[in-house]
Amino acid sequence: MKPLCIIVGFGAGVGMGIADAFGKTGFQLGLIARNPSKYTDALQSLTNAGIEVSIAAADASNESSLTDAIAELQQKHGSAEVLIYNVVSPTFGKPTTLTATQLAQDFSVNVVGALVAVKAVLPAMRSRKQGSLLFTGGGWAHYPWDEASSISIGKAGLRSLALTLSQELADTGIRVGMVSIMGQVASGTPFDPNKIGEAFLELYRQPTDKFQPEILFQGAS
């Protein structure tokens, strides 16, 4: 059976780029999206490329919804070899324009959902003493922008989660890494989604003794 890569937060942009990179390398894909019906064409493209793919619906801010979706995919395809958390709640605005409820909701999507996803795949990875937990980071974790204060807070929190998980799991055989996108994602540019997908694949392929917890993706030619 081919190894399984679960991507939480599939979409037509970075999610598709990651899916294409891992699928064409020999992974089965288990995709999770809030509204899977929006991505019929993208799924057909993956299938046409000979990639085995399933998609499940989940709300990343809802623990039971996300846990159930991951369980469904693992029941169908086997335990995940790779989990990629690629979800962001794109709320823009200066800090004082945010309500407490909005900030808490965004944080639930941007950070808490990542921990929920990790805990859903971690028992099987611990049992096998192998696996990769990868996250989509962003430049605003390093250079916060007041017009995107909630996203900046979320990406900073996600980075801290990834790095602390990397420390916790250092001796388990499970690798934790993050690709932090340091520019604006756009097709046909150095920050094309397919180039970002390749960066995730390169991180996954790094030898264990040289594995980097974080790659700052500055664009690719």
Side-chain angles (χ1 to χ4, degrees):
M1 181 182 291
K2 293 179 179 179
L4 173 64
C5 174
I6 292 179
I7 302 171
V8 182
F10 177 73
V14 172
M16 181 62 179
I18 297 170
D20 188 68
F22 278 81
K24 289 180 177 177
T25 307
F27 280 86
Q28 304 176 77
L29 299 177
L31 310 177
I32 295 176
R34 189 181 182 94
N35 297 303
S37 61
K38 292 172 59 177
Y39 306 114
T40 302
D41 290 345
L43 292 174
Q44 189 61 53
S45 175
L46 293 168
T47 300
N48 290 344
I51 299 167
E52 184 178 345
V53 56
S54 296
I55 191 165
D59 177 352
S61 69
N62 184 303
E63 181 173 358
S64 61
S65 173
L66 184 53
T67 300
D68 289 348
I70 292 173
E72 175 187 332
L73 293 171
Q74 292 197 113
Q75 184 174 14
K76 183 173 183 179
H77 296 282
S79 299
E81 168 65 25
V82 181
L83 170 75
I84 299 173
Y85 194 81
N86 179 57
V87 184
V88 65
S89 182
T91 300
F92 286 84
K94 294 180 183 293
T96 56
T97 69
L98 300 173
T99 66
T101 299
Q102 182 65 65
L103 182 60
Q105 174 67 18
D106 289 346
F107 195 83
S108 179
V109 173
N110 295 333
V111 184
V112 179
L115 180 60
V116 170
V118 165
K119 293 179 79 169
V121 301
L122 196 53
M125 288 186 177
R126 283 187 182 275
S127 178
R128 299 194 319 271
K129 298 182 179 180
Q130 70 176 55
S132 295
L133 305 169
L134 307 179
F135 304 88
T136 302
W140 288 330
H142 297 264
Y143 305 103
W145 182 34
D146 66 340
E147 293 287 357
S149 55
S150 183
I151 304 172
S152 298
I153 291 166
K155 288 301 183 186
L158 183 65
R159 182 172 185 265
S160 290
L161 175 62
L163 295 177
T164 53
L165 278 170
S166 179
Q167 295 170 33
E168 178 185 359
L169 301 174
D171 299 321
T172 65
I174 300 164
R175 308 193 307 177
V176 184
M178 168 175 276
V179 175
S180 290
I181 304 168
M182 307 299 286
Q184 184 173 354
V185 177
S187 297
T189 73
F191 292 90
D192 186 284
N194 287 333
K195 295 175 181 178
I196 295 169
E198 289 297 326
F200 271 90
L201 187 59
E202 289 173 13
L203 177 59
Y204 168 73
R205 286 173 162 171
Q206 285 183 351
T208 298
D209 60 347
K210 297 180 180 179
F211 189 80
Q212 299 170 268
E214 182 180 26
I215 289 178
L216 302 183
F217 182 76
Q218 304 283 2
S221 58

